[in-house]
Amino acid sequence: GLLGTASEAEVTALSADTRRSVRLAAVLVLRRMKSPQVAEYLSDADPLIVLEAARAIHDMPIPDAMPTLAGLIHSPTRDEALLRRVLNANYRMGGAEQATAVASVLRADVPDVIKREAIDMLGHWETPSNRDRVLGMWRPLESRSADPAREAIRQVLLNGDAVAAASTDVKADLIELAANLGLKEIVTSVRQSIGNSEFDPTQRANMLSSLVALDGSMAIGDVTNSLQDASAVVRSRARELLLELDPKRGVKELRGVLTDGQTIERQSAWAALSSMGEAEDTGVRTVLKELDLESVPADTRLDVVEAARRLGMDEVAARMLQPLQDLPYGERHLTVLGGDPARGEEIFRNNVA
């Protein structure tokens, strides 16, 4: 076949052949050769040839051709398979120029899934996963400075048009990343977005956390206002953050929903107050000593038992669990209600363990 009869130069020269099948075969042969000359085919007029050349360079991989693949970041395409490999080539190279290139897709006409992938890459720039982001194969990268990613995102934020034109999902991801990178330029945008119903409750709750991370005690007014939000998710997060900013008031707000409010509010309150330890007088110990588990909503009973255990009140937890011991599944009955389907799906689909 071609692999055994033609030289590397002869196979590369087939890029001028007008037949698509011949050029495709040449790409596959150069891939088998692990030849950097396969990069010649990245400029082919046929998108399929370009994609196969990109797969050859990225998937084998062929390191000497990786810079050429990374350079396609500025070429117009909406092919997700190609875009993911081009992005990942830049991500793996890891320099300041590459961080800027990854951030540039936020201003491009590409699918949101690619923009969100770019944001996630910049968020993990400093400590990249040992698994390849496209193939899932073990391809470790060393830790590197987050400064290039921070500067690249700062330049995106300065371009207000790019942010304004983004979808709500992309904006939410961008705000969270900017907060994690400590970019205070985003504070005004975050403050304006917390009450924006275009964002879902989880996104708005995360924005509230981002605002506190960036603005500290200056965000207490926003946190206080969020206690009255229509969403239990946002109200719950606001109480947790208030506990950080104003512990005395935070304890009062959390105690007020231990047995009232919606499921997430009760669960959050038990977790937050029982995590404060013995140093703070939250009154939770007294409540637990007098509490009958049957009086607690079924979706919160497990949280109450865990709160008792967290506080070292094993005898109280045992008393609560005693009525369940004669049931077929014992204390596992507590797990029937109160779960988070969205969180469960996220763990199922994305946990690499």
Side-chain angles (χ1 to χ4, degrees):
L2 191 60
L3 180 61
T5 60
S7 68
E8 182 179 359
E10 289 172 328
V11 177
T12 303
L14 292 175
S15 62
D17 197 290
T18 59
R19 292 165 294 180
R20 179 198 211 189
S21 59
V22 171
R23 301 198 309 279
L24 182 58
V27 168
L28 297 178
V29 169
L30 289 171
R31 173 176 177 150
R32 290 283 299 275
M33 292 178 173
K34 294 186 178 181
S35 169
Q37 297 303 316
V38 73
E40 292 288 331
Y41 289 82
L42 290 175
S43 58
D44 196 281
D46 190 320
L48 176 62
I49 303 297
V50 175
L51 177 57
E52 284 303 322
R55 283 174 171 154
I57 295 167
H58 176 277
D59 299 0
M60 286 303 288
I62 304 175
D64 288 345
M66 203 68 76
T68 307
L69 176 61
L72 290 186
I73 196 79
H74 303 298
S75 300
T77 180
R78 292 181 63 85
D79 187 307
E80 289 187 22
L82 177 59
L83 283 168
R84 286 184 181 277
R85 286 168 171 79
V86 172
L87 274 176
N88 200 34
N90 282 279
Y91 179 70
R92 295 189 65 82
M93 290 173 68
E97 180 181 348
Q98 285 74 40
T100 300
V102 170
S104 72
V105 306
L106 299 176
R107 298 190 290 269
D109 180 24
V110 297
D112 274 3
V113 66
I114 296 299
K115 292 183 178 181
R116 300 185 75 181
E117 174 71 1
I119 291 172
D120 195 62
M121 283 181 170
L122 293 167
H124 292 89
W125 198 267
E126 184 174 17
T127 53
S129 169
N130 287 325
R131 292 196 177 276
D132 185 88
R133 295 186 66 98
V134 175
L135 304 175
M137 298 170 64
W138 189 258
R139 289 182 176 173
L141 289 172
E142 294 183 359
S143 298
R144 58 240 183 147
S145 172
D147 290 343
R150 184 177 294 108
E151 183 57 30
I153 287 297
R154 178 179 282 113
Q155 294 305 314
V156 170
L157 297 179
L158 292 175
N159 183 344
D161 293 341
V163 178
S167 68
T168 53
D169 286 341
V170 172
K171 284 181 183 177
D173 289 351
L174 187 56
I175 286 172
E176 184 174 359
L177 173 58
N180 290 340
L181 293 175
L183 298 175
K184 292 184 177 292
E185 293 91 335
I186 201 73
V187 165
T188 300
S189 180
V190 177
R191 185 165 273 123
Q192 293 172 345
S193 300
I194 290 172
N196 188 341
S197 60
E198 291 183 1
F199 297 98
D200 68 43
T202 299
Q203 289 173 333
R204 294 194 293 113
N206 290 339
M207 289 176 188
L208 191 61
S209 295
S210 295
L211 184 61
V212 171
L214 289 170
D215 222 17
S217 60
M218 298 297 292
I220 194 165
D222 304 273
V223 171
T224 301
N225 291 337
S226 295
L227 293 173
Q228 308 303 319
D229 195 272
S231 168
V233 174
V234 177
R235 294 196 303 269
S236 178
R237 184 69 60 85
R239 292 188 188 95
E240 294 172 1
L241 294 170
L242 186 61
L243 190 63
E244 298 177 17
L245 299 173
D246 186 347
K248 185 175 181 180
R249 188 178 171 195
V251 167
K252 180 180 178 181
E253 289 288 343
L254 287 165
R255 285 199 60 180
V257 293
L258 284 175
T259 55
D260 296 320
Q262 296 186 27
T263 302
I264 189 173
E265 295 178 280
R266 296 192 300 270
Q267 293 177 339
S268 171
W270 281 109
L273 291 175
S274 62
S275 296
M276 295 185 70
E278 300 182 8
E280 299 288 343
D281 181 17
T282 64
V284 174
R285 288 177 173 276
T286 301
V287 174
L288 285 169
K289 288 177 182 177
E290 301 173 355
L291 193 63
D292 178 6
L293 198 60
E294 288 296 318
S295 68
V296 178
D299 57 16
T300 316
R301 291 174 185 173
L302 178 60
D303 302 273
V304 171
V305 173
E306 289 184 336
R309 288 171 171 166
R310 198 176 290 118
L311 290 167
M313 303 175 69
D314 294 335
E315 292 183 5
V316 171
R319 170 180 61 78
M320 292 178 172
L321 293 172
Q322 183 57 44
L324 301 177
Q325 299 309 312
D326 295 332
L327 297 176
Y329 299 105
E331 64 183 79
R332 281 177 289 183
H333 277 277
L334 298 178
T335 66
V336 173
L337 297 174
D340 183 342
R343 176 60 179 152
E345 181 179 4
E346 198 276 333
I347 292 174
F348 177 80
R349 294 185 181 280
N350 300 318
N351 187 6
V352 297

